[in-house]
Structure formats: C-alpha cells, structure tokens
Amino acid sequence: MPVLVSVPVLAGSAAAGPADGLRNSPPAYRTAAGAQPVQGTQRPSGAPRIDPGTYTDTLARGDEKHYAVRLDETSSAYFSAVAAPRPGSEVADHTDSLKVSLRDADGNTCSPGGSTAFHGRGMAYPIADYATRRADGPRTNCQKAGAYYFVVKRVGKASAPGADRWPVELRFQREPGITGSPPAQPAPGTWSTATPVPLTGGTKKDAEGGTGFNDAGPIGKGVWQDRIRPGRPGSTGCRWTGGSS
C-alpha cells in the first residue's frame, strides 16, 4: 500500500512539476541529460582527460578507475560519483561500497572523500560519494597548478553476491577563486539561530519525486505531499529565491 508523505518547507518558492517514471516498478536512477560516456583506466597511466562537466562509466567489483583532470592554483574543485545498481540486483551490506578520492600526480591523496556502503538488507539503491580540492585547503601539495587524478573505486568482496556492473555518474565542477578583496565577516548577531515555526496550516500541495539528483521534482515554501512505494526512490529539490535557510 502506498504511504502518504507530507513534506513541510519553510523558505523560498518554486512550482511543483511531475517527474516521469514507472509507477508499478522501481525506476532506475536517471543520469543527467547530456552526460558524456567515458572509460576510466585502472591506473593513472593513460587515464582519459575530463573537463568540468558530467560523465557516465561503469564499475565492476574491485574496479578503481582514474580520470585525469587539470587544476589551476586559484580555483576550488569538486568531484562526485553516483553509483546506481540496477533495481532488484543483489548487493552486500557493509562491504559493497563506493569510494571517491582526488590524488596529485605523485599519487598523494588530496581529499580522501568518504566511503558509502549499503545498509538495506541487500537491497540495491543509488549511493554517492565526493572529494574536493580547496584552493585555501591545508594540503599545500594539492594547491599547485598541474595534473591530478579523480579516482572512483567500487569496494567489495569477490565472494559476495551481486557481481553485476554498476552504472556510475561522474561530475567535476570548478569554482573560480575570489577576485578583489575578500568579503567581510558578518557582524555579530546578523544570523538568526532561532528555530523556525513549523508550517502546519494551509492546503497540501502535490509533489512528485524523481529518481535522483537530475530529475528531482521541485518544491518550495509550503506543505507538500507525495506517495512512495516500497523500493522506489523519491527525490525532491528546493529552489531558493530569497530569505534565510
């Protein structure tokens, strides 16, 4: 039986729009429109060069794929990967996981990222991890301009169930450094820390979640409702147009 979910959101405004998807079976994660196919290499040698953008690849268990990127000395960089096992496929809890890292040309780790494992009693669902290179970060060896490697690893025991390849969505974003004088620190007391009053009245608006980050149904200020079936993802996004968050 579908479960009714009410979602209150306190600030900003957006219009809700339906997201396409299968209604009777769990839909697969939908990658970003225009994502480019790429084939990472198991070693840094020969790794494909990628520029800021979104890409797709696949991972077998034990794969550690490398993608070459070039960074300057003033920009911060962000790298993420979303692994999306096919709905209904087998995964091993606590051992099957995704790990993202950024390394310099000498193999030193600039940002280890995390390690995202499954915890759903063998149920497959999208998992994600990320790594960063901050221009003002503490690792000075990773603040130089030059070649770096975006590394994505699928961790898991060879004897565990679920040997299917995982589709993976990769994203590389670059944030230019600050130009001119740095912004001043906010004055004391200018940021409210009071807990907002929950929104309880008014008519609930219908929202429909998507399969993930790229087709999430937008929601805004107000109280929203959706239905979710077992095994089906439901992602909604907030578009802020002003006010505090």
Side-chain angles (χ1 to χ4, degrees):
M1 175 180 294
V3 179
L4 181 65
V5 180
S6 295
V7 184
V9 179
L10 300 177
S13 62
D20 293 333
L22 302 177
R23 293 186 177 274
N24 298 318
S25 61
Y29 177 86
R30 187 170 299 167
T31 56
Q36 304 176 51
V38 66
Q39 292 185 350
T41 57
Q42 298 291 334
R43 296 178 177 81
S45 177
R49 165 80 179 272
I50 62 172
D51 296 314
T54 307
Y55 302 82
T56 59
D57 202 349
T58 61
L59 293 173
R61 180 177 282 133
D63 273 353
E64 182 178 82
K65 291 198 172 183
H66 296 72
Y67 309 88
V69 298
R70 192 153 194 91
L71 304 179
D72 59 30
E73 60 186 7
T74 60
S75 302
S76 294
Y78 305 87
F79 305 88
S80 66
V82 179
R86 179 176 52 84
S89 61
E90 290 185 287
V91 296
D93 282 355
H94 312 296
T95 55
D96 271 347
S97 63
L98 179 72
K99 185 174 179 62
V100 169
S101 61
L102 179 68
R103 302 174 188 171
D104 67 12
D106 296 322
N108 300 309
T109 300
C110 301
S111 176
S115 184
T116 306
F118 291 96
H119 304 281
R121 296 187 178 183
M123 182 180 68
Y125 51 84
I127 56 176
D129 193 21
Y130 73 97
T132 63
R133 195 293 296 264
R134 289 177 48 191
D136 60 348
R139 298 173 184 258
T140 56
N141 62 298
C142 295
Q143 294 175 342
K144 301 174 183 177
Y148 291 82
Y149 295 96
F150 172 21
V151 183
V152 182
K153 184 175 183 178
R154 176 181 169 184
V155 183
K157 295 181 180 179
S159 59
D164 295 348
R165 298 187 71 87
W166 292 352
V168 62
E169 180 182 62
L170 312 169
R171 183 167 294 178
F172 166 25
Q173 294 177 288
R174 187 163 52 203
E175 179 182 24
I178 296 175
T179 58
S181 300
Q185 292 291 329
T190 58
W191 183 263
S192 174
T193 58
T195 302
V197 178
L199 293 175
T200 56
T203 303
K204 295 183 179 69
K205 304 174 186 178
D206 290 330
E208 186 168 352
T211 66
F213 299 111
N214 302 301
D215 60 352
I219 59 176
K221 183 178 180 180
V223 180
W224 300 77
Q225 63 182 4
D226 197 359
R227 296 179 183 273
I228 186 166
R229 293 178 172 83
R232 178 175 181 177
S235 298
T236 54
C238 300
R239 184 183 302 120
W240 305 107
T241 59
S244 62
S245 57

